[in-house]
């Protein structure tokens, strides 16, 4: 069984580790750009001359961006002979894409600088080279897999000439970097549901040149939008079930699930799943929240529900409590609003250790474990 990959956390990058050049507190996008303008002439010369870029640019700007969002990454270079370009990227992490878009939307106008949200599509006629291997339109192919029962799922197999068991990890990374640049960061993160990478000897269908991938994904996206554009949204009349189970360690698990939502006939129209994880101390209650935490966790959950409900586009799926962790689930038509609402909740509740994952799951396979009878 080939391993499937989603588009989260494919690449590892780190911020600079030097001390900040100037102590300026950054709380808003405006704060960042006001500070950037005080440094932009010096930054421009550093980038143009390609000298001491790490110490005189990366190590200075990184901590400033980090004050706004831990999930910001960036690239910089000369867009042409006279204009430097700063690209703010989420590194393919869906939950941070909206923040990269927002900070660039507030960027100032500048004759010497071009500011770009997310890595754009690039002309890769000559491909890329990594660790002595070429990744290009000449040696990368693809085919689409049809999955019975999941007609809207976009599952793609990429075929790389020269892939072996020994070099598979390097080849998968190279193909991903190629696709991230070939499609652009937003498209690569959102247009493909699942994919795998194999060698030519493992291919099971006719190979299509990767140069045709953009057209294929655009066609599938148009087809999906047309299919669901007139569909009635999920209503507000929900029915819930309480489920109980026992973990392998013997501790109890209690889940509340929205059975109305789980029986919705068009789940694929709400393809983005948000999972908010909250850690608490339930050691005295078999891993379940005690009364004080229970009330606070319910309040956090209600806050998330009300904020996501406003304006529509999201539906509450349910929650699980077990082993000192509560997980709260929502499904949404788009990932941007849940990203903002749920990360704002994390920011406003430092008393709890929280984490957020947002991923694409058109058929809500994540929730099949609830064994709810679906029509």
């Amino acid at each position: 069984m080939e391993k499937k990959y989603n588009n989260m956390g494919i690449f590892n990058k780190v911020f600079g580790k030097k001390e900040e050049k100037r102590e300026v507190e950054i709380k808003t996008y405006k704060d960042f750009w006001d500070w950037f303008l005080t440094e932009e002439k010096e930054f421009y010369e550093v980038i143009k001359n390609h000298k001491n870029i790490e110490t005189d640019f990366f190590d200075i700007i990184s901590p400033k961006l980090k004050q706004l969002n831990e999930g910001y990454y960036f690239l910089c270079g000369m867009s042409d002979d006279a204009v430097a370009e700063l690209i703010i990227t989420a590194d393919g992490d869906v939950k941070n894409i909206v923040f990269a878009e927002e900070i660039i939307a507030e960027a100032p106008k500048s004759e010497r600088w071009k500011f770009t949200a997310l890595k754009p599509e690039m002309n890769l006629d000559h491909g890329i080279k990594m660790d002595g291997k070429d990744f290009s339109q000449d040696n990368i192919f693809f085919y689409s897999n049809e999955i019975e029962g999941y007609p809207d799922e976009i599952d793609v197999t990429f075929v790389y000439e020269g892939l072996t068991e020994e070099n598979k990890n390097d080849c998968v990374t190279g193909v991903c970097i190629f696709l991230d640049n070939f499609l652009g960061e937003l498209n690569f993160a959102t247009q493909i549901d699942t994919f795998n990478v194999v060698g030519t000897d493992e291919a099971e269908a006719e190979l299509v040149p990767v140069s045709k991938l953009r057209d294929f994904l655009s066609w599938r996206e148009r087809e999906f939008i047309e299919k669901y554009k007139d569909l009635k949204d999920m209503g507000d009349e929900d029915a819930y079930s309480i489920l109980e189970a026992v973990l392998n360690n013997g501790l109890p698990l209690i889940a509340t699930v929205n059975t109305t939502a789980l029986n919705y006939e068009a789940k694929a129209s709400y393809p983005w799943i948000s999972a908010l994880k909250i850690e608490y101390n339930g050691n005295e209650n078999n891993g379940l929240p005690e009364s004080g935490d229970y009330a606070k966790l319910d309040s956090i959950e209600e806050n998330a529900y009300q904020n996501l409900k406003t304006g529509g586009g999201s539906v509450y799926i349910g929650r699980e409590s077990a082993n000192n962790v509560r997980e709260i689930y929502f499904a949404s038509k788009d990932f941007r609003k849940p990203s903002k609402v749920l990360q704002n909740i994390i920011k406003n509740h430092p008393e709890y250790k929280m984490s957020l994952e947002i991923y694409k799951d058109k058929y809500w396979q994540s929730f099949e474990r609830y064994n709810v009878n679906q029509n």
Side-chain angles (χ1 to χ4, degrees), residues 247-267:
L247 303 176
N248 291 335
N249 61 9
L251 293 178
L253 178 150
I254 298 179
T256 301
V257 296
N258 183 345
T259 53
T260 301
L262 291 176
N263 285 313
Y264 184 54
E265 73 279 7
K267 297 182 182 70

Side-chain angles (χ1 to χ4, degrees), residues 89-294:
T89 166
D91 196 29
D93 190 342
V94 169
K95 70 176 180 290
N96 288 320
I97 285 176
V98 65
F99 302 107
E101 293 172 335
E102 286 186 341
I103 191 172
I104 292 299
E106 294 196 20
K109 301 294 182 183
S110 173
E111 293 183 357
R112 286 185 293 215
W113 285 89
K114 176 183 179 182
F115 302 110
T116 303
L118 310 174
K119 287 170 280 186
E121 294 182 17
M122 295 179 64
N123 184 340
L124 293 180
D125 288 343
H126 302 292
I128 62 173
K129 185 180 289 288
M130 193 184 79
D131 295 331
K133 298 181 179 64
D134 291 317
F135 298 88
S136 72
Q137 298 182 51
D138 295 328
N139 57 20
I140 299 175
F141 304 88
F142 79 98
Y143 57 87
S144 175
N145 301 298
E146 293 185 8
I147 304 176
E148 185 177 356
Y150 304 100
D152 296 314
E153 190 83 359
I154 299 177
D155 181 86
V156 179
T157 294
F158 292 100
V159 181
Y160 177 68
E161 294 181 345
L163 182 148
T164 65
E165 279 302 316
E166 292 72 25
N167 66 16
K168 184 167 186 175
N169 289 338
D170 291 341
C171 290
V172 169
T173 300
V175 169
C176 289
I177 292 174
F178 173 88
L179 293 171
D180 193 51
N181 287 279
F182 178 67
L183 296 175
E185 182 177 0
L186 181 62
N187 290 336
F188 185 41
T190 61
Q191 288 188 329
I192 301 173
D193 297 323
T194 54
F195 69 92
N196 63 340
V197 181
V198 302
T200 51
D201 58 335
E202 298 176 272
E204 298 179 350
E206 182 180 352
L207 302 187
V208 181
V210 77
S211 59
K212 298 183 180 296
L213 181 62
R214 291 189 187 116
D215 291 339
F216 167 74
L217 294 175
S218 296
W219 166 66
R220 288 297 303 269
E221 188 171 54
R222 290 193 303 271
E223 186 181 59
F224 181 82
I225 292 171
E226 183 67 24
K227 180 177 180 179
Y228 292 102
K229 70 176 184 178
D230 297 324
L231 188 73
K232 182 180 178 182
D233 286 349
M234 206 177 299
D236 294 330
E237 296 180 3
D238 300 326
Y240 296 93
S241 295
I242 307 296
L243 307 177
E244 297 185 16
V246 177
L247 303 176
N248 291 335
N249 61 9
L251 293 178
L253 178 150
I254 298 179
T256 301
V257 296
N258 183 345
T259 53
T260 301
L262 291 176
N263 285 313
Y264 184 54
E265 73 279 7
K267 297 182 182 70
S269 62
Y270 291 80
W272 294 101
I273 305 300
S274 301
L276 179 64
K277 181 182 293 187
I278 309 172
E279 299 182 24
Y280 56 83
N281 185 355
N283 294 333
E284 301 298 323
N285 196 29
N286 290 322
L288 298 176
E290 298 181 35
S291 58
D293 281 321
Y294 193 93

Side-chain angles (χ1 to χ4, degrees), residues 336-347:
R336 290 173 176 83
K337 186 174 181 180
S339 297
K340 296 182 66 175
V341 167
L342 297 176
Q343 292 198 70
N344 190 54
I345 284 176
I346 292 174
K347 181 179 179 180

Side-chain angles (χ1 to χ4, degrees), residues 147 150 153 194 267 273 359 361-369:
I147 304 176
Y150 304 100
E153 190 83 359
T194 54
K267 297 182 182 70
I273 305 300
Y359 57 93
D361 183 3
K362 284 178 179 172
Y363 291 93
W364 301 8
Q365 297 176 66
S366 309
F367 307 118
E368 289 179 355
R369 63 185 182 274

